[in-house]
Amino acid sequence: MAKFRKKKSGGQQAINTASLPDIVFMLLFFFMVTTTMKEVSLKVLNRAPEATELTKLERKSLVTYIYVGVPLKQYQGRYGTNPRIQLNDAFATVDDIQSYIVQERESMKEQDRPLMTVSIKADHESPMGDITDIKQALRKAQALRINYSARQVEKLKY
Amino acid sequence: MAKRDIQEVNAGSMADIAFLLLIFFLMTTTMDTDKGLSRMLPPPITEEPKDQPPVKERNVFEVLINSRNLLLVENQYMDLRDLKEATKEFLQNPMNLSTLPEIEMMEVPYFNVYPVTKNAVISLQTDRGTQYQMYLNVQNELQAAITELRNEISMKQFNKRYDDLDKDQQEAVRMIYPQRISEAEPRSVGARKP
């Protein structure tokens, strides 16, 4: 004889969590795909300047970065408090830029080399003298496409 | 010997592992897309060119920034907020003034013959002590002036913004309002010695 069990009434029903891993994995893959690891650890103070008329840097593989700013607190003992240049992970001088650019260009694909862009990420308080020196060095290295990295704002502070 | 059952792997901790990885990527991710002002540097000069055609004074829009971040435009002190309008007026020369750049009738595709300030050049000079933010402000305002002018004629001619035009149309607009910002060779006058 078939037995009919009375359905239990009341009591909280447990939510089925079997699909939770799937959801989490989906999120995980999203972040894995969109993520770009920080390429370098900054050793200089870098507060981006503000601007309104910005263009986006399209392809990350074409971009080489030059950081300019005052060394962070823990490096000030060795490197002083004057604005310094950081290439990759090390402090550098203007004279190092040329070889750095050549080296970066060598590591690019042949057809990409003319499109190489140098992004100058300078602190907003750096003096123009340093920037001008860098620009002159870049001209010598034939890296003529540059980009002054800045943060998008609605309106400039006059 | 009895056949042993294949034991099922307990997948209960899968979610925990996935969460761990997720949190790791959440922390390390930097979603910022790089943005900035794009410029082309002039190629290096190998030797001093001798016979350069003289540039007429009226065709040059001289912008100087000193070490105190003050702006001197065409030998007059100017506030940053007025720079955009001044630049626009310079590049257009709507009244055909003799102090502003000369206007030439130029044949431009889509526009037939259009008055263009063909020889107009913006010259930007900074001091070594100028603050980088101020320099970018000025670059930004000059860029804004050019962008606005381009958008204005794009709206008038094509009823579209400059960014929405196709390649040929953009080129035509660029012929009328090129981005000609020249930066003078650096001078170290009044520089702070390190």
Side-chain angles (χ1 to χ4, degrees):
Chain A
M1 266 269 292
K3 273 189 201 163
F4 291 96
R5 203 177 284 158
K6 202 183 158 207
K7 248 190 189 168
K8 262 190 229 159
S9 64
Q12 285 265 307
Q13 275 216 324
I15 301 166
N16 185 10
T17 55
S19 59
L20 187 63
D22 301 346
I23 295 165
V24 174
F25 264 114
M26 205 169 69
L27 276 169
L28 175 64
F29 286 136
F30 168 73
F31 277 100
M32 275 176 75
V33 170
T34 56
T35 197
T36 45
M37 297 280 180
K38 260 191 207 162
E39 301 99 13
V40 291
S41 53
L42 274 180
K43 291 182 174 174
V44 294
L45 187 63
N46 203 298
R47 295 159 299 177
E50 298 172 345
T52 59
E53 310 288 316
L54 298 180
T55 46
K56 228 166 138 186
L57 277 172
E58 289 299 343
R59 285 170 58 193
K60 281 248 162 78
S61 59
L62 300 177
V63 185
T64 307
Y65 297 96
I66 294 179
Y67 302 90
V68 186
V70 173
L72 291 178
K73 263 258 152 54
Q74 63 264 40
Y75 301 106
Q76 282 184 358
R78 276 183 74 189
Y79 297 100
T81 52
N82 277 336
R84 293 289 301 255
I85 299 165
Q86 184 189 348
L87 305 172
N88 279 338
D89 270 332
F91 285 103
T93 59
V94 180
D95 306 322
D96 300 330
I97 288 178
Q98 211 165 334
S99 57
Y100 172 69
I101 295 294
V102 170
Q103 185 194 324
E104 290 286 309
R105 195 185 279 136
E106 288 295 309
S107 66
M108 275 181 194
K109 278 192 231 130
E110 187 109 29
Q111 68 267 29
D112 285 344
R113 283 178 198 168
L115 297 172
M116 180 184 185
T117 309
V118 178
S119 174
I120 299 179
K121 282 176 170 275
D123 188 77
H124 71 93
E125 272 181 9
S126 347
M128 270 312 287
D130 295 332
I131 312 290
T132 313
D133 290 343
I134 292 169
K135 271 157 62 185
Q136 291 299 317
L138 289 177
R139 280 175 69 185
K140 267 189 224 147
Q142 292 285 354
L144 302 180
R145 280 167 167 270
I146 59 165
N147 187 290
Y148 302 109
S149 183
R151 193 155 42 90
Q152 179 91 56
V153 286
E154 280 301 307
K155 220 168 164 291
L156 283 185
K157 276 178 260 161
Y158 290 117
Chain B
M1 215 162 99
K3 206 177 156 205
R4 221 184 279 168
D5 278 345
I6 298 168
Q7 291 255 304
E8 224 174 277
V9 180
N10 184 10
S13 56
M14 185 85 101
D16 301 348
I17 296 163
F19 261 119
L20 206 81
L21 279 167
L22 176 64
I23 289 163
F24 169 71
F25 277 100
L26 267 171
M27 300 296 265
T28 55
T29 196
T30 45
M31 292 285 255
D32 62 343
T33 43
D34 247 326
K35 285 179 166 184
L37 291 168
S38 287
R39 288 284 178 277
M40 283 295 276
L41 293 172
I45 327 169
T46 41
E47 53 191 87
E48 281 294 306
K50 296 249 158 38
D51 314 310
Q52 265 193 329
V55 183
K56 281 190 196 148
E57 214 269 312
R58 63 182 282 197
N59 286 331
V60 180
F61 189 65
E62 211 179 4
V63 182
L64 297 168
I65 320 169
N66 76 357
S67 57
R68 295 178 183 277
N69 298 337
L70 296 174
L71 207 58
L72 194 74
V73 178
E74 297 282 67
N75 294 320
Q76 270 179 344
Y77 171 75
M78 190 181 275
D79 213 52
L80 184 64
R81 70 187 80 219
D82 303 323
L83 180 64
K84 189 162 79 182
E85 284 309 311
T87 314
K88 280 174 78 174
E89 198 192 353
F90 171 82
L91 289 173
Q92 269 182 311
N93 194 1
M95 303 304 204
N96 205 356
L97 298 174
S98 61
T99 47
L100 294 176
E102 48 207 357
I103 290 179
E104 270 180 51
M105 299 309 274
M106 195 166 73
E107 219 170 291
V108 184
Y110 301 105
F111 289 88
N112 293 327
V113 179
Y114 199 88
V116 177
T117 53
K118 205 175 159 193
N119 299 317
V121 168
I122 300 166
S123 158
L124 176 58
Q125 188 153 23
T126 55
D127 187 272
R128 288 192 68 87
T130 306
Q131 202 188 345
Y132 184 56
Q133 175 69 62
M134 182 61 189
Y135 170 73
L136 273 198
N137 285 348
V138 171
Q139 285 272 22
N140 190 65
E141 290 304 286
L142 296 176
Q143 181 72 53
I146 294 169
T147 310
E148 268 184 29
L149 287 173
R150 282 176 179 173
N151 276 336
E152 274 170 27
I153 57 165
S154 302
M155 282 311 269
K156 216 157 64 185
Q157 188 74 12
F158 306 110
N159 214 5
K160 274 191 221 166
R161 289 172 62 81
Y162 171 75
D163 287 334
D164 302 330
L165 299 179
D166 66 40
K167 231 177 171 183
D168 292 343
Q169 292 168 335
Q170 283 196 352
E171 198 173 328
V173 173
R174 274 209 303 274
M175 272 173 83
I176 297 173
Y177 294 119
Q179 191 197 74
R180 213 177 281 136
I181 303 171
S182 116
E183 285 180 59
E185 293 291 310
R187 280 193 312 201
S188 48
V189 178
R192 271 183 309 161
K193 285 276 174 285

